[in-house]
Amino acid sequence: MIEVHNLTKSYGPIQALNDVSFNVAEGEIVGLLGPNGAGKTTIIKILTGYLQPDEGSVQIDNLDILTQTQAAQARIGYLPENAPLYPELSIQSYLKMIANLRQIPAAEQRERLSDAIYATGLNERLTQPIGQLSKGFRQRVGLAQAILHRPRLLILDEPSVGLDPTQIVEIRNLIRRLAKFSTVLFSTHILPEVEALCDRVIILMNGAVRADARLAELAGSTDAILVLDRTVDTAVSALKSLKGVRKVETLAKSNGHVTYRILGQDSADLCPAVYQLASQQQWPVRELRSDRQTLESVFSKLATA
């Protein structure tokens, strides 16, 4: 659905994007994660045809966004961070205007408007001026205009920014429902949003892709944590001798318990080998587990690397 190759973009002396490449398959929910200033909004503006890159190419549903802009944009539903709403218009009038701008045939407008309104829960506020709506309902109006033409790709820029916790949950649930019909790419700097919604995450820092993986792969770890009831002098050397072990760290000693982290060289799970060694050596094992990382810890490591 999205193919991005070697995107580069500078604003004067500031390089916003540096050789960025990634793909998004049809039906995926992908989070574009990064701190403020990482280049997320620049990528989204290029994907939606509002900004031209200095170098690189983008295809949306096999259409070149640079040379087939209008055809590609017709397949995209876009909600920018600050949705361009008209506060003096009612919800109904605004969505009718968008339907006309999208050139939705008159015979189809009633059904399209009804589907978008009920999908976003706006059916009881149609005559209310947009300027009188809460932030959460304005976001719903923005989403309604984005899905009105039934896009194959939905691109959302910081969809939950400025919302209270209840509104965030409502928007999450709405995005999940919309993802049944559209591929979804959304940018955010909020880690729980990615964990709650995404199958896959692309982490962007300083204009470059630092990680691109499914959440389970990114947060997984081959490292093992071993806790012994007492100090064993030969433990570190014995653990280092195991196949696939890169490093052994002594983490803590508390109440006579000693904790070791065993770091792996590849994707193999170290726990079975550590368990077998501990059994053979009759070590007083208190705990043995995989050292699972959170998305937050992965993000922090990438940010400080």
Side-chain angles (χ1 to χ4, degrees):
M1 183 55 67
I2 301 176
E3 295 182 25
V4 174
H5 298 289
N6 309 115
L7 280 190
T8 298
K9 179 65 181 178
S10 296
Y11 301 103
I14 300 173
Q15 188 167 37
L17 299 177
N18 181 16
D19 197 30
V20 170
S21 298
F22 62 87
N23 296 324
V24 176
E26 185 174 352
E28 282 192 298
I29 305 178
V30 177
L32 189 60
L33 177 63
N36 291 326
K40 302 186 302 296
T41 296
T42 297
I43 286 180
I44 283 179
K45 286 182 177 178
I46 293 173
L47 291 180
T48 51
Y50 289 96
L51 189 66
Q52 295 230 347
D54 298 334
E55 297 178 18
S57 65
V58 174
Q59 286 196 327
I60 303 294
D61 199 17
N62 296 317
L63 296 171
D64 190 320
I65 194 66
L66 300 180
T67 61
Q68 300 168 288
T69 305
Q70 288 190 342
Q73 287 175 332
R75 288 160 166 75
I76 299 172
Y78 176 37
L79 176 63
E81 183 175 350
N82 297 303
L85 305 177
Y86 294 84
E88 68 278 7
L89 293 181
S90 68
I91 294 173
Q92 189 172 30
S93 298
Y94 172 74
L95 292 178
K96 174 66 174 175
M97 180 188 71
I98 295 298
N100 291 331
L101 289 172
R102 283 286 188 181
Q103 299 181 334
I104 297 173
E108 298 179 19
Q109 284 194 13
R110 185 181 183 88
E111 181 183 357
R112 298 287 186 92
L113 287 165
S114 178
D115 287 349
I117 287 165
Y118 278 94
T120 52
L122 295 170
N123 46 300
E124 295 183 0
R125 297 175 178 260
L126 291 180
T127 60
Q128 189 171 350
I130 291 172
Q132 295 179 9
L133 298 174
S134 67
K135 173 71 173 176
F137 272 98
R138 289 199 298 274
Q139 286 291 82
R140 291 188 188 199
V141 175
L143 280 168
Q145 67 79 25
I147 66 173
L148 193 57
H149 58 298
R150 296 175 181 169
R152 287 175 52 76
L153 172 63
L154 192 58
I155 297 180
L156 312 174
D157 192 2
E158 302 282 2
S160 62
V161 68
L163 302 183
D164 64 36
T166 300
Q167 293 168 337
I168 288 173
V169 172
E170 291 174 352
I171 293 298
R172 282 180 188 171
N173 292 335
L174 177 54
I175 292 172
R176 287 192 191 98
R177 292 199 299 272
L178 296 176
K180 295 178 182 178
F181 309 100
S182 302
T183 301
V184 178
L185 174 71
F186 74 94
S187 78
T188 184
H189 62 277
I190 303 172
L191 298 177
E193 288 299 287
V194 175
E195 292 178 316
L197 284 171
C198 293
D199 306 312
R200 181 172 144 232
V201 61
I202 299 169
I203 297 180
L204 194 72
M205 293 185 178
N206 298 319
V209 174
R210 297 295 303 277
D212 180 355
R214 302 189 72 80
L215 282 181
E217 297 169 355
L218 191 64
S221 172
T222 60
D223 300 347
I225 296 293
L226 173 67
V227 181
L228 302 181
D229 277 336
R230 56 177 172 79
T231 300
V232 176
D233 295 335
T234 60
V236 172
S237 59
L239 289 167
K240 284 182 178 179
S241 69
L242 289 174
K243 183 179 179 180
V245 171
R246 173 171 54 88
K247 185 179 179 182
V248 177
E249 299 174 348
T250 303
L251 297 183
K253 295 181 180 180
S254 176
N255 298 324
H257 306 149
V258 186
T259 302
Y260 304 95
R261 175 184 286 125
I262 304 100
L263 288 75
Q265 293 175 339
D266 51 34
S267 59
D269 184 3
L270 292 175
C271 283
V274 173
Y275 175 78
Q276 185 175 11
L277 175 65
S279 297
Q280 290 173 350
Q281 300 294 324
Q282 296 184 338
W283 290 344
V285 176
R286 185 176 186 85
E287 181 181 359
L288 174 62
R289 58 180 169 82
S290 295
D291 185 22
R292 294 294 176 188
Q293 301 182 85
T294 64
L295 183 57
E296 182 178 1
S297 66
V298 172
F299 188 83
S300 298
K301 287 179 182 179
L302 291 173
T304 56

